[in-house]
Amino acid sequence: MRLLWKLVILLTFINTYAGDGRLSRPIFTQEPQDVIFPLDLSKSEIILNCAANGYPSPHYRWKQNGTDIDFTMSYHYRLDGGSLAISSPHTDQDIGTYQCLATNPLGTILSQKAKLQFAYIEDFETKIRSTVSVREGQGVVLLCGPPPHFGVPDISWRRLDGSPLPGKVKYSKSQAILEIPNFQQEDEGVYECIASNLRGRNLAKGQLIFYAPPEWEQKIQNTYLSIYDSLFWECKASGKPNPWYTWLKNGERLNPEERIQIENGTLIITMLNVSDSGIYQCAAENKYQIIYANAELRVLASAPDFSKNPIKKNSVVQVGGDIVIECKPNAFPRAAISWKRGMESLRQSKRVFILKDGSLKIHNVTRSDAGSYTCIATNQFGVAKNTGSLVVKERTVITVPPSKMDVTVGESIVLPCQVSHDPSIEVVFVWSFNGDVIDLKKGVAHFERIGGESVGDLMIRNIQLNHSGKYLCTVKTTLESLSAEADIIVRGPPGPPEDVRVEHISSTTSQLSWRPGSDNNSPIQIFSIQARTPFSVGWQAVSTVPEILNGKTYNATVVGLSPWVEYEFRVVAGNSIGIGEPSKPSEVLRTKASVPVVAPTNINGGGGSRSELVITWESIPEELQNGEEFGYIIMLRPVGSTTWTKERVPFVESSRFVYRNESITPLSPFEVKVGVYNKKGEGALSTTSIVYSGEDEPQLAPRGTSVQSFSASEMEVSWNAIAWNRNTGRVLGYEVLYWTDDSKESVIGKIRVSGNVTTKNITGLKANTVYFASVRAYNTAGTGPSSPPVNGTTKKSPPSQPPANIAWKLTNSKLCLNWEHVKTMENESEVLGYKILYRQNRQSKTHILETNNTSAELLVPFEEDYLIEIRTVSDGGDGSSSEEIRIPKMSSLSSRGVSVLDPSIHFLSIVIMIFYCFAIQPLI
């Protein structure tokens, strides 16, 4: 009964503070340290620091030399927070060892020991130095004094146990000082110094002992156990000498009892009860130091409770799957667990198991397993129940998985991924490519999700070579995740060949080598070589040896190159898919020079002056000149002669040469050949052509020149042909010159006709103007004398006013027209008649009717509207037209003229008849 009351009180206390979840044991944040206090110090107070965290906040007390300090009885002791303040300290009363204790409802912890000492100076005692102890990791220095004689001694060191000196030792310059840095246990022992000279020898010995204060290798940890459980704690520490262990509970030494076993660093407490709760400390101590490890033991006792860990309200599983419904109530001691389905108790079977932790496992779930399940938890403090439901869903199955595909670059494909699933379960499709998730929400190029709720097909548009790889369709639900993958191979034209090199180059050939690029999943079948020069239009295919370069050929000789031309080459690969991208161009190299082999063409000439032979040809382009210092060779001789005259033209751009010789007679035939040369020598000659020497201008002027005016802007000039012979000069044609009397220049126009033509119309003239004309003959040498001038006057301008007040009447298919006579101005030609231009709407063909009257009648079909305009006729030409008039179809009304706004043009043939349906008005 006493135990239960303790349990009730402790549980009430813990629940009070645990409501906000912050209950925690004291943990030191500051512990007291050793203090040496000078007696002559002006300060009159010593502070030993102590502070700890915990909730509720801890309170503090102190011990001096193992005895609690009574602050009510000691006037010069006081608490400053958790720190101890000692006023007016006394050497005999206050010297000693101090420890701080921090306590809250969870327990008490004891701090490390802190020594308080007082410093003062007394006379030194004369004693022989004893053994030196050295802490691990520190350095030690041993001094060796010389013997009391004159002379520099020899000093040596050794270890008396015969072991060698540590390799890390250091000596002073005279070796009188031996230093051992980073002192370790293996360095301890007796060291001997030997100093000697000619006058004597001296020995000195010293013993080094290694020590190390305790250091934790294993600490105890906070532990929460149920009532009646057993506690096992172990702490371990290293040190030299080996530390011994003591255990404390709430700051007080813990001694072995019936339930408590203590052996070195091990603590065992059996049949735990609530009174065992508290803060425990394991103390490890040797002669040099004591250290503490702290931990809380909390012994718990309570009835089963599901409030913090209820059974899952709805556990969802698929048909054929396994499900575990957890039942983990808080209960101390641990509760016994039983299960019910609905109102019936559950018994274990081949499919139904109650696990060690009380959870219920159902294997190979069926639809009939759905329902409510209740977990019943029982211990000596009470019983608790909690119920949850099991929901059974149909399994998700990938019915159409993606399959392996072999495609060509640029195609669009669909990778299927279709499932059957429980209608109440949401399905999410996730696609991955070579292990990386494809984020379709961001609109990744080429990829697109298509399909509905149960279809997660992936479309890849315009597939590229870098899309080859593994595609994984993952189907995720809240219950499971399943996936299917497929390999996609994308084949494409080969990648560009690499490392194209020109191994050797001559005047017409070049040896090339290269390395193949990627075959892009389709073996390379063929290579081809292309070349580019400053004169080519882009890259051109070239001939090679061997002629056909298969996919295993990585070198070839390019043939048929032009000498002395800069070339760069590239290689293109092809496979069954197509031709790939070309390689990078090779370096630019020039072929060797050679004698030019292409002769000029189109050898011609003639003309020029007397005693000249003019020769012309088409110049050779730079890419065919084959070398430096290029020029032309001219070979000529009179027809019938056997001796050639040879001339050189050292200009690359030349295409004309004039040979002068006073002995040349006019129009003499010569045989002419044109060749080429360069620095390497003379090349080919053209075939022989006949070229005539220069001739004299015509000597005779044409006779019978006359002028006739046709209109206001046109007149005709005529003359008689010249009967020429070799003496009077050849006539190739005539040149007509014309001008006005008031022109500032002598000639304002010049027109040539070739051959025996003896008339020429001149147009674009001014109206009512006097023009003069003259004719002269011409040939290749120039023009001959002009004929005497003749003149003529152009007609007056045609009437500027169009016919007005046009009236029309349409009856059935007969159209009657009438208009006013046009009166002309004084400077205009008289009206001789009228032209009627008419066409059917949407037709292009226009018909013309001429009449001397101011009326006319047309017989026309009436399926479409008609468009009509009227203009005057005069000696000066046709005058201005009236506006176009639209005659509506099937109308019997008469009207004045109506302007056409938007005529359409089509072809339609019509029949026309002329009648006079208005009074005839004669032209005045």
Side-chain angles (χ1 to χ4, degrees), residues 26-70:
I27 298 175
F28 280 120
T29 59
Q30 191 175 25
E31 296 187 64
Q33 304 294 324
D34 291 346
V35 175
I36 298 177
F37 188 77
L39 287 177
D40 60 348
L41 195 66
S42 58
K43 293 182 179 178
S44 60
E45 186 175 66
I46 299 173
I47 300 294
L48 295 175
N49 293 315
C50 181
N53 288 334
Y55 187 81
S57 296
H59 62 270
Y60 303 90
R61 54 195 174 94
W62 284 80
K63 288 188 176 186
Q64 180 193 21
N65 298 324
T67 303
D68 285 345
I69 296 176
D70 187 351

Short mmCIF file of all heavy atoms in Angstrom, two decimals, residues 26-70:
data_model
loop_
_atom_site.label_atom_id
_atom_site.label_comp_id
_atom_site.label_asym_id
_atom_site.label_seq_id
_atom_site.Cartn_x
_atom_site.Cartn_y
_atom_site.Cartn_z
N PRO A 26 18.26 17.98 -13.76
CA PRO A 26 19.33 18.99 -13.74
C PRO A 26 20.55 18.51 -14.55
O PRO A 26 20.92 17.33 -14.50
CB PRO A 26 19.67 19.12 -12.26
CG PRO A 26 18.49 18.57 -11.53
CD PRO A 26 17.93 17.50 -12.39
N ILE A 27 21.12 19.44 -15.29
CA ILE A 27 22.37 19.18 -16.03
C ILE A 27 23.28 20.38 -15.81
O ILE A 27 22.88 21.53 -16.07
CB ILE A 27 22.10 18.99 -17.54
CG1 ILE A 27 21.21 17.77 -17.78
CG2 ILE A 27 23.42 18.83 -18.31
CD1 ILE A 27 20.80 17.59 -19.23
N PHE A 28 24.51 20.11 -15.33
CA PHE A 28 25.43 21.21 -15.03
C PHE A 28 25.82 21.93 -16.32
O PHE A 28 26.17 21.31 -17.33
CB PHE A 28 26.69 20.71 -14.34
CG PHE A 28 26.52 20.44 -12.86
CD1 PHE A 28 26.73 19.17 -12.34
CD2 PHE A 28 26.14 21.47 -12.00
CE1 PHE A 28 26.57 18.93 -10.98
CE2 PHE A 28 25.98 21.24 -10.65
CZ PHE A 28 26.18 19.96 -10.14
N THR A 29 25.77 23.25 -16.28
CA THR A 29 26.34 24.08 -17.34
C THR A 29 27.64 24.72 -16.88
O THR A 29 28.44 25.18 -17.69
CB THR A 29 25.36 25.18 -17.77
OG1 THR A 29 25.04 25.99 -16.62
CG2 THR A 29 24.09 24.58 -18.35
N GLN A 30 27.88 24.74 -15.53
CA GLN A 30 29.11 25.29 -14.97
C GLN A 30 29.38 24.59 -13.65
O GLN A 30 28.49 24.47 -12.80
CB GLN A 30 28.97 26.81 -14.76
CG GLN A 30 30.28 27.50 -14.44
CD GLN A 30 30.10 29.01 -14.36
OE1 GLN A 30 29.01 29.50 -14.09
NE2 GLN A 30 31.18 29.74 -14.57
N GLU A 31 30.62 24.07 -13.49
CA GLU A 31 30.99 23.38 -12.27
C GLU A 31 32.16 24.10 -11.62
O GLU A 31 32.93 24.80 -12.30
CB GLU A 31 31.39 21.92 -12.59
CG GLU A 31 30.23 21.09 -13.15
CD GLU A 31 30.59 19.62 -13.29
OE1 GLU A 31 30.85 18.97 -12.26
OE2 GLU A 31 30.62 19.13 -14.45
N PRO A 32 32.29 23.96 -10.29
CA PRO A 32 33.37 24.67 -9.59
C PRO A 32 34.74 24.16 -10.00
O PRO A 32 34.91 22.98 -10.34
CB PRO A 32 33.08 24.39 -8.11
CG PRO A 32 32.27 23.13 -8.12
CD PRO A 32 31.45 23.16 -9.36
N GLN A 33 35.73 25.04 -10.00
CA GLN A 33 37.10 24.72 -10.36
C GLN A 33 38.01 24.99 -9.15
O GLN A 33 37.67 25.74 -8.24
CB GLN A 33 37.56 25.59 -11.55
CG GLN A 33 36.67 25.48 -12.77
CD GLN A 33 36.71 24.11 -13.40
OE1 GLN A 33 37.75 23.47 -13.43
NE2 GLN A 33 35.56 23.66 -13.90
N ASP A 34 39.20 24.35 -9.18
CA ASP A 34 40.17 24.58 -8.11
C ASP A 34 40.52 26.06 -8.02
O ASP A 34 40.65 26.74 -9.05
CB ASP A 34 41.45 23.77 -8.38
CG ASP A 34 41.21 22.27 -8.23
OD1 ASP A 34 40.16 21.89 -7.68
OD2 ASP A 34 42.07 21.49 -8.69
N VAL A 35 40.70 26.54 -6.77
CA VAL A 35 41.02 27.94 -6.55
C VAL A 35 42.22 28.03 -5.60
O VAL A 35 42.25 27.35 -4.56
CB VAL A 35 39.83 28.72 -5.95
CG1 VAL A 35 40.26 30.16 -5.61
CG2 VAL A 35 38.66 28.72 -6.91
N ILE A 36 43.24 28.81 -5.99
CA ILE A 36 44.36 29.14 -5.09
C ILE A 36 44.23 30.62 -4.78
O ILE A 36 44.34 31.47 -5.66
CB ILE A 36 45.70 28.83 -5.75
CG1 ILE A 36 45.82 27.33 -6.06
CG2 ILE A 36 46.84 29.28 -4.84
CD1 ILE A 36 47.09 26.94 -6.78
N PHE A 37 43.98 30.93 -3.52
CA PHE A 37 43.65 32.29 -3.11
C PHE A 37 44.84 32.89 -2.37
O PHE A 37 45.24 32.39 -1.30
CB PHE A 37 42.41 32.28 -2.22
CG PHE A 37 41.88 33.65 -1.91
CD1 PHE A 37 41.16 34.36 -2.86
CD2 PHE A 37 42.12 34.24 -0.68
CE1 PHE A 37 40.67 35.62 -2.57
CE2 PHE A 37 41.63 35.51 -0.39
CZ PHE A 37 40.90 36.20 -1.34
N PRO A 38 45.45 33.96 -2.93
CA PRO A 38 46.58 34.60 -2.23
C PRO A 38 46.09 35.32 -0.98
O PRO A 38 45.09 36.04 -1.01
CB PRO A 38 47.11 35.60 -3.26
CG PRO A 38 46.52 35.16 -4.56
CD PRO A 38 45.21 34.52 -4.24
N LEU A 39 46.83 35.12 0.10
CA LEU A 39 46.41 35.73 1.37
C LEU A 39 46.54 37.24 1.34
O LEU A 39 45.80 37.96 2.02
CB LEU A 39 47.23 35.16 2.54
CG LEU A 39 46.89 33.71 2.93
CD1 LEU A 39 47.82 33.25 4.04
CD2 LEU A 39 45.44 33.61 3.37
N ASP A 40 47.50 37.74 0.54
CA ASP A 40 47.70 39.19 0.52
C ASP A 40 46.84 39.88 -0.52
O ASP A 40 47.01 41.06 -0.80
CB ASP A 40 49.17 39.52 0.24
CG ASP A 40 49.63 38.95 -1.09
OD1 ASP A 40 48.88 38.13 -1.68
OD2 ASP A 40 50.73 39.33 -1.55
N LEU A 41 45.90 39.14 -1.13
CA LEU A 41 45.03 39.74 -2.16
C LEU A 41 44.07 40.71 -1.49
O LEU A 41 43.56 40.46 -0.40
CB LEU A 41 44.25 38.65 -2.90
CG LEU A 41 43.59 39.07 -4.19
CD1 LEU A 41 44.68 39.41 -5.23
CD2 LEU A 41 42.74 37.93 -4.74
N SER A 42 43.88 41.82 -2.17
CA SER A 42 43.02 42.86 -1.60
C SER A 42 41.56 42.43 -1.56
O SER A 42 40.76 42.96 -0.79
CB SER A 42 43.16 44.16 -2.41
OG SER A 42 42.81 43.93 -3.77
N LYS A 43 41.19 41.45 -2.46
CA LYS A 43 39.79 40.99 -2.45
C LYS A 43 39.52 40.22 -1.16
O LYS A 43 40.40 39.51 -0.64
CB LYS A 43 39.51 40.08 -3.64
CG LYS A 43 39.57 40.79 -4.98
CD LYS A 43 39.23 39.81 -6.10
CE LYS A 43 39.25 40.51 -7.45
NZ LYS A 43 38.97 39.58 -8.56
N SER A 44 38.27 40.33 -0.70
CA SER A 44 37.91 39.66 0.56
C SER A 44 36.83 38.61 0.34
O SER A 44 36.15 38.22 1.28
CB SER A 44 37.43 40.70 1.59
OG SER A 44 36.29 41.37 1.08
N GLU A 45 36.64 38.15 -0.90
CA GLU A 45 35.57 37.18 -1.17
C GLU A 45 36.04 36.21 -2.25
O GLU A 45 36.70 36.57 -3.23
CB GLU A 45 34.30 37.89 -1.64
CG GLU A 45 33.11 36.94 -1.78
CD GLU A 45 31.84 37.69 -2.14
OE1 GLU A 45 31.77 38.26 -3.25
OE2 GLU A 45 30.92 37.70 -1.30
N ILE A 46 35.70 34.94 -2.06
CA ILE A 46 36.00 33.88 -3.04
C ILE A 46 34.67 33.40 -3.63
O ILE A 46 33.70 33.18 -2.88
CB ILE A 46 36.73 32.71 -2.37
CG1 ILE A 46 38.07 33.18 -1.79
CG2 ILE A 46 36.97 31.58 -3.37
CD1 ILE A 46 38.77 32.12 -0.97
N ILE A 47 34.63 33.22 -4.98
CA ILE A 47 33.43 32.72 -5.66
C ILE A 47 33.76 31.36 -6.28
O ILE A 47 34.70 31.23 -7.07
CB ILE A 47 32.95 33.67 -6.77
CG1 ILE A 47 32.61 35.06 -6.20
CG2 ILE A 47 31.74 33.08 -7.49
CD1 ILE A 47 31.42 35.03 -5.26
N LEU A 48 32.99 30.33 -5.88
CA LEU A 48 33.07 29.01 -6.53
C LEU A 48 31.81 28.88 -7.39
O LEU A 48 30.70 28.85 -6.86
CB LEU A 48 33.14 27.89 -5.49
CG LEU A 48 34.41 27.88 -4.63
CD1 LEU A 48 34.31 26.80 -3.55
CD2 LEU A 48 35.64 27.65 -5.48
N ASN A 49 31.98 28.81 -8.72
CA ASN A 49 30.85 28.87 -9.64
C ASN A 49 30.13 27.54 -9.74
O ASN A 49 30.75 26.46 -9.73
CB ASN A 49 31.33 29.29 -11.03
CG ASN A 49 31.83 30.71 -11.04
OD1 ASN A 49 31.19 31.61 -10.48
ND2 ASN A 49 32.99 30.93 -11.65
N CYS A 50 28.79 27.64 -9.91
CA CYS A 50 27.97 26.44 -10.14
C CYS A 50 26.66 26.89 -10.78
O CYS A 50 26.02 27.84 -10.30
CB CYS A 50 27.70 25.70 -8.83
SG CYS A 50 26.70 24.19 -9.07
N ALA A 51 26.27 26.22 -11.90
CA ALA A 51 24.99 26.52 -12.56
C ALA A 51 24.53 25.26 -13.26
O ALA A 51 25.33 24.44 -13.74
CB ALA A 51 25.15 27.67 -13.55
N ALA A 52 23.19 25.09 -13.37
CA ALA A 52 22.63 23.90 -14.01
C ALA A 52 21.32 24.27 -14.69
O ALA A 52 20.59 25.17 -14.26
CB ALA A 52 22.41 22.78 -13.00
N ASN A 53 21.01 23.54 -15.77
CA ASN A 53 19.72 23.64 -16.45
C ASN A 53 18.83 22.52 -15.94
O ASN A 53 19.29 21.47 -15.50
CB ASN A 53 19.90 23.51 -17.96
CG ASN A 53 20.54 24.74 -18.56
OD1 ASN A 53 20.42 25.83 -18.01
ND2 ASN A 53 21.22 24.56 -19.69
N GLY A 54 17.51 22.71 -16.09
CA GLY A 54 16.56 21.69 -15.72
C GLY A 54 15.19 22.31 -15.58
O GLY A 54 15.04 23.54 -15.49
N TYR A 55 14.16 21.46 -15.64
CA TYR A 55 12.80 21.96 -15.44
C TYR A 55 12.05 20.99 -14.56
O TYR A 55 11.98 19.79 -14.88
CB TYR A 55 12.08 22.13 -16.76
CG TYR A 55 10.72 22.80 -16.60
CD1 TYR A 55 10.64 24.18 -16.48
CD2 TYR A 55 9.56 22.05 -16.52
CE1 TYR A 55 9.41 24.78 -16.30
CE2 TYR A 55 8.33 22.65 -16.33
CZ TYR A 55 8.25 24.02 -16.23
OH TYR A 55 7.05 24.63 -16.04
N PRO A 56 11.50 21.44 -13.44
CA PRO A 56 11.58 22.81 -12.92
C PRO A 56 13.04 23.20 -12.63
O PRO A 56 13.90 22.36 -12.49
CB PRO A 56 10.75 22.77 -11.64
CG PRO A 56 9.90 21.55 -11.76
CD PRO A 56 10.69 20.57 -12.55
N SER A 57 13.27 24.50 -12.50
CA SER A 57 14.62 24.99 -12.26
C SER A 57 15.17 24.39 -10.97
O SER A 57 14.48 24.32 -9.95
CB SER A 57 14.63 26.52 -12.15
OG SER A 57 14.24 27.08 -13.39
N PRO A 58 16.42 23.93 -11.00
CA PRO A 58 16.98 23.28 -9.80
C PRO A 58 17.31 24.30 -8.70
O PRO A 58 17.51 25.48 -8.98
CB PRO A 58 18.24 22.60 -10.34
CG PRO A 58 18.60 23.37 -11.57
CD PRO A 58 17.33 23.88 -12.16
N HIS A 59 17.36 23.81 -7.45
CA HIS A 59 17.90 24.60 -6.35
C HIS A 59 19.22 23.96 -5.93
O HIS A 59 19.53 22.81 -6.29
CB HIS A 59 16.92 24.69 -5.17
CG HIS A 59 16.57 23.37 -4.56
ND1 HIS A 59 15.50 22.58 -4.99
CD2 HIS A 59 17.16 22.68 -3.55
CE1 HIS A 59 15.45 21.48 -4.29
NE2 HIS A 59 16.43 21.50 -3.40
N TYR A 60 20.04 24.71 -5.18
CA TYR A 60 21.43 24.32 -4.97
C TYR A 60 21.75 24.20 -3.49
O TYR A 60 21.16 24.86 -2.64
CB TYR A 60 22.38 25.36 -5.60
CG TYR A 60 22.14 25.56 -7.09
CD1 TYR A 60 21.24 26.53 -7.54
CD2 TYR A 60 22.81 24.79 -8.02
CE1 TYR A 60 21.01 26.71 -8.90
CE2 TYR A 60 22.60 24.96 -9.38
CZ TYR A 60 21.70 25.93 -9.81
OH TYR A 60 21.49 26.11 -11.15
N ARG A 61 22.72 23.31 -3.21
CA ARG A 61 23.36 23.24 -1.90
C ARG A 61 24.81 22.84 -2.12
O ARG A 61 25.18 22.36 -3.19
CB ARG A 61 22.63 22.29 -0.94
CG ARG A 61 22.43 20.88 -1.47
CD ARG A 61 21.39 20.14 -0.61
NE ARG A 61 21.07 18.83 -1.18
CZ ARG A 61 21.67 17.69 -0.81
NH1 ARG A 61 22.63 17.73 0.12
NH2 ARG A 61 21.32 16.55 -1.35
N TRP A 62 25.64 23.03 -1.07
CA TRP A 62 27.08 22.79 -1.20
C TRP A 62 27.56 21.91 -0.06
O TRP A 62 27.00 21.87 1.04
CB TRP A 62 27.86 24.11 -1.15
CG TRP A 62 27.77 24.89 -2.45
CD1 TRP A 62 26.75 25.67 -2.85
CD2 TRP A 62 28.76 24.94 -3.46
NE1 TRP A 62 27.01 26.21 -4.08
CE2 TRP A 62 28.28 25.78 -4.48
CE3 TRP A 62 30.03 24.37 -3.62
CZ2 TRP A 62 28.99 26.05 -5.63
CZ3 TRP A 62 30.75 24.64 -4.77
CH2 TRP A 62 30.24 25.47 -5.76
N LYS A 63 28.67 21.18 -0.39
CA LYS A 63 29.35 20.38 0.62
C LYS A 63 30.80 20.84 0.72
O LYS A 63 31.41 21.16 -0.30
CB LYS A 63 29.32 18.90 0.27
CG LYS A 63 27.96 18.24 0.42
CD LYS A 63 28.06 16.73 0.23
CE LYS A 63 26.71 16.07 0.49
NZ LYS A 63 26.81 14.59 0.44
N GLN A 64 31.28 20.90 2.00
CA GLN A 64 32.69 21.16 2.23
C GLN A 64 33.28 19.94 2.93
O GLN A 64 32.79 19.53 4.00
CB GLN A 64 32.90 22.41 3.10
CG GLN A 64 34.38 22.70 3.34
CD GLN A 64 34.59 23.72 4.44
OE1 GLN A 64 33.70 23.93 5.28
NE2 GLN A 64 35.76 24.33 4.47
N ASN A 65 34.26 19.36 2.26
CA ASN A 65 34.92 18.16 2.79
C ASN A 65 33.91 17.08 3.12
O ASN A 65 33.99 16.39 4.13
CB ASN A 65 35.77 18.49 4.03
CG ASN A 65 36.88 19.47 3.69
OD1 ASN A 65 37.45 19.42 2.59
ND2 ASN A 65 37.19 20.38 4.63
N GLY A 66 32.85 16.95 2.25
CA GLY A 66 31.86 15.90 2.39
C GLY A 66 30.71 16.23 3.30
O GLY A 66 29.78 15.43 3.45
N THR A 67 30.71 17.41 3.93
CA THR A 67 29.65 17.79 4.88
C THR A 67 28.85 18.95 4.30
O THR A 67 29.42 19.89 3.73
CB THR A 67 30.26 18.22 6.22
OG1 THR A 67 31.07 17.17 6.73
CG2 THR A 67 29.18 18.60 7.23
N ASP A 68 27.49 18.84 4.45
CA ASP A 68 26.63 19.90 3.93
C ASP A 68 26.92 21.21 4.67
O ASP A 68 27.12 21.23 5.89
CB ASP A 68 25.16 19.55 4.14
CG ASP A 68 24.68 18.50 3.15
OD1 ASP A 68 25.40 18.28 2.15
OD2 ASP A 68 23.61 17.92 3.38
N ILE A 69 26.95 22.29 3.91
CA ILE A 69 27.14 23.62 4.49
C ILE A 69 25.78 24.15 4.92
O ILE A 69 24.84 24.18 4.12
CB ILE A 69 27.78 24.57 3.46
CG1 ILE A 69 29.18 24.09 3.11
CG2 ILE A 69 27.82 26.00 4.00
CD1 ILE A 69 29.86 24.92 2.02
N ASP A 70 25.69 24.52 6.16
CA ASP A 70 24.45 25.09 6.70
C ASP A 70 24.56 26.61 6.56
O ASP A 70 25.27 27.27 7.32
CB ASP A 70 24.28 24.67 8.16
CG ASP A 70 22.93 25.12 8.72
OD1 ASP A 70 22.22 25.89 7.99
OD2 ASP A 70 22.59 24.71 9.82
#
